[in-house]
Amino acid sequence: MKVLAIVLAGGEGKRLMPLTADRAKPAVPFGGIYRLIDFVLSNLANANYLQIVVLTQYKNHSLDRHISRTWRLSSMLGNYVTPVPAQQRLGPRWFAGSADALFQNLNLIYDELPDHVIVFGADHIYRMDPRQMVEQHIDSGADVTVAAIRQPLQLADQFGVIETDPAGRRIVAFREKPKDAVGLADAPDQVYASMGNYVFRTQSLIEALREDALDPGSKHDLGGNIIPMFVKSGGAEVYDFAHNVVPGSTERDRGYWRDVGTLDAFYDAHMDLISVHPVFNLYNDRWPIYTGQDPLPPAKFVHNDGDRIGHALESLVSPGVIVSGGTALRSILSPGVVLHSHSHVEDSVLMGCVKVGRGAIVRRAIIDKNVVIPDGARIGFDLDYDRQRFTVTDSGVVVIGKNEIVER
Ligand code: ADQ
């Protein structure tokens, strides 16, 4: 059975601004050394699906660079991860929606002639063995199988909401981001949400995309248009993510899936990583999360001119970090971060090469690459002041964009 994987990585990620000001959402750094796209690509690679096309569009420079530097598979064995930027192949327009992105790249499917096509989103934090979903899809003979997970009812308007037949397999209704969803019969405060991960029978996908392309009223969106088309014809099934068991997983981290589409969700997913018993276990070496890294030296903790020794507690510390007389508490320090004497960073995410000056204090913040926090500056204390100069989320997390200049 031949399977081609297509990863949709063209999303704009408006709600993650300023982190997506000059990079696509799937290229946003996560967990110190990763980028969001590493999670879906690792899931596919660990499952041995090694013909992977990544459709990019929006501000794709750092994404393309990351994929071509990191995700080099052995082409001799016919394996590849290929970023395909929107090329305006069908006239002078960018992709309209995710279905249009697939339609414009149908040639990639014709080149491979797979039996089934996996179409996965690129911006979630999770471990999943996609083979189990593909197996169910093949056994059932469905045109499309949609991965689903229970989510809180109040988030229903962020997801494709699924209703199934009483057996829980066939999809009888699929509504994209409904404002008036009702809860499940056995859990009124939950809905069954699409994870944005699909497996299609190739021929069914091609026919649906062609039909959709001819419809002037369509938004050419997979969730909004294509999946409902299959629901109507009775060919859509659900794959319950709760049944997915990844090698090396434990009862605790099974079923973990985070849509990090908002700054608060992005922040919370990081705070989970540094909790004593994180739900998402980065240390499962039977299902590794792959990434690419510059050859940096090990992290070091030193003192400066007889000051106290730099230290980090309950934190993730990446290679290339220098903690020189400063303190990090419950924080993520990405490669190349430097904390100078008497600086103090807590409950924060510092991305690559952030420098925190002498005596500066940073609390509950996400600080993007290359930002320099001047000596003695205070971030996350006076939120009214921070709001005037940075982004502050609903829950009070201060977010400073890449290369932003910070005044004291
Ligand atoms: P959203 O994530 O809101 O909902 P969308 O913006 O289409 O839907 O993004 C889906 C994926 O496609 C993302 O990985 C994005 O990066 C990518 N993408 C979007 N437009 C693209 C384009 N033109 N070219 C290439 N890639 C593109 C979707 C589903 C919901 C489901 C949620 C789960 O539509 O039904 O519940 O994902 O988070």
Side-chain angles (χ1 to χ4, degrees), residues 146-267:
V146 182
I149 185 170
R150 285 170 183 248
Q151 289 289 295
L153 174 65
Q154 74 263 26
L155 299 182
D157 62 357
Q158 298 179 24
F159 295 113
V161 173
I162 295 173
E163 282 170 46
T164 63
D165 65 4
R169 283 285 286 274
R170 191 156 296 264
I171 303 179
V172 296
F174 186 102
R175 293 197 300 146
E176 183 71 359
K177 303 177 183 149
K179 299 252 177 288
D180 56 351
V182 286
L184 294 165
D186 66 350
D189 57 343
Q190 292 183 341
V191 290
Y192 214 19
S194 160
M195 294 163 63
N197 285 0
Y198 318 97
V199 184
F200 294 93
R201 225 162 48 80
T202 305
Q203 201 49 40
S204 311
L205 175 63
I206 293 173
E207 282 162 21
L209 291 175
R210 284 200 183 131
E211 189 182 327
D212 174 72
L214 294 174
D215 178 357
S218 171
K219 286 190 177 145
H220 310 300
D221 182 50
L222 282 174
N225 305 101
I226 302 291
I227 304 303
M229 214 185 251
F230 285 113
V231 171
K232 230 190 210 165
S233 67
E237 296 238 344
V238 79
Y239 172 74
D240 191 341
F241 181 58
H243 298 148
N244 198 265
V245 179
V246 169
S249 65
T250 61
E251 206 58 60
R252 198 179 155 72
D253 63 4
R254 218 158 277 165
Y256 182 94
W257 179 83
R258 284 289 178 283
D259 179 10
V260 286
T262 64
L263 290 166
D264 278 325
F266 181 83
Y267 177 81

Side-chain angles (χ1 to χ4, degrees), residues 7-13 15 24-26 54-58 84 86 94-102 105 119-124 146-147 156 158-161 174-177 193-198 220-224 227 257 259:
V7 173
L8 295 170
E12 202 172 335
R15 291 172 306 161
K25 182 172 165 189
V54 182
L55 301 186
T56 67
Q57 154 166 267
Y58 172 84
V84 179
W94 296 113
F95 299 146
S98 48
D100 188 44
L102 290 177
N105 285 293
V119 179
F120 277 16
D123 29 54
H124 300 109
V146 182
Q158 298 179 24
F159 295 113
V161 173
F174 186 102
R175 293 197 300 146
E176 183 71 359
K177 303 177 183 149
S194 160
M195 294 163 63
N197 285 0
Y198 318 97
H220 310 300
D221 182 50
L222 282 174
I227 304 303
W257 179 83
D259 179 10

Side-chain angles (χ1 to χ4, degrees), residues 376-397:
R378 290 176 150 237
I379 309 288
F381 283 82
D382 179 350
L383 291 187
D384 287 333
Y385 179 44
D386 287 339
R387 240 175 238 117
Q388 290 165 28
R389 44 186 192 156
F390 313 121
T391 301
V392 179
T393 70
D394 292 346
S395 77
V397 176

